[in-house]
């Protein structure tokens, strides 16, 4: 993961409890990278960072939909105030595992024995 912007922190006061608020953050430079790899990470009421799902990123604009006391509110309390530290990050692409072709179970067993033998003989030391 790599931060694509500086951390942004704000407090919205006078929010209606249980009513969603939409907030737009415009950065001076575009947030580059594949759109699927860009995420907005926030801190929850326990102080842990998580990928916030109720957002959109387009060009240099991040649009957040937040609810007082909800998962997007870092203080976690319905008090008419939304506290929001967050940052845009680019997540590395997931690696897709590729199966190793084996023509038979005998070949797989032989390969396992060869690896085990190399690891045993490769770690032996000569005592003098």
């Amino acid at each position: 993961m790599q931060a694509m912007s500086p951390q942004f922190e704000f407090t919205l006061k006078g929010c209606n409890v249980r009513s969603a608020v939409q907030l737009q953050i415009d950065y001076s430079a575009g947030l580059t990278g594949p759109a699927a790899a860009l995420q907005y990470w926030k801190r929850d009421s326990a102080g842990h960072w998580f990928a916030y799902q109720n957002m959109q990123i387009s060009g240099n604009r991040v649009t957040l939909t937040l609810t007082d006391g909800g998962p997007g509110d870092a203080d976690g309390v319905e008090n008419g105030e939304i506290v929001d530290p967050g940052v845009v990050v680019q997540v590395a692409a997931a690696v897709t595992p590729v199966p190793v072709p084996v023509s038979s179970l005998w070949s797989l067993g032989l390969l396992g024995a060869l690896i085990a033998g190399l690891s045993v003989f490769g770690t032996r030391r000569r005592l003098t």
Side-chain angles (χ1 to χ4, degrees):
M1 235 181 336
Q2 175 183 352
M4 300 303 294
S5 67
Q7 182 175 333
F8 186 77
E9 191 165 340
F10 62 89
T11 301
L12 296 174
K13 296 184 180 211
C15 302
N16 291 332
V17 177
R18 296 185 195 93
S19 294
V21 175
Q22 201 168 60
L23 174 79
Q24 293 179 339
I25 306 167
D26 289 329
Y27 292 93
S28 58
L31 302 168
T32 58
L38 294 176
Q39 298 177 346
Y40 190 80
W41 279 62
K42 298 175 55 38
R43 236 185 344 227
D44 62 17
S45 58
H48 302 113
W49 287 92
F50 69 100
Y52 189 62
Q53 301 300 316
N54 207 356
M55 63 87 200
Q56 293 178 342
I57 298 175
S58 177
N60 67 333
R61 177 172 287 169
V62 176
T63 304
L64 304 169
T65 303
L66 306 162
T67 304
D68 183 29
D73 186 4
D75 69 6
V77 180
E78 291 181 348
N79 58 1
E81 189 173 285
I82 298 174
V83 179
D84 184 48
V87 65
V88 177
V89 299
Q90 183 173 7
V91 180
V95 177
T96 305
V98 178
V100 177
V102 177
S103 58
S104 70
L105 289 178
W106 285 102
S107 300
L108 183 60
L110 182 61
L111 180 61
L114 180 63
I115 291 172
L118 287 175
S119 65
V120 168
F121 291 115
T123 58
R124 287 179 62 180
R125 291 187 181 169
R126 187 175 191 179
L127 299 175
T128 55

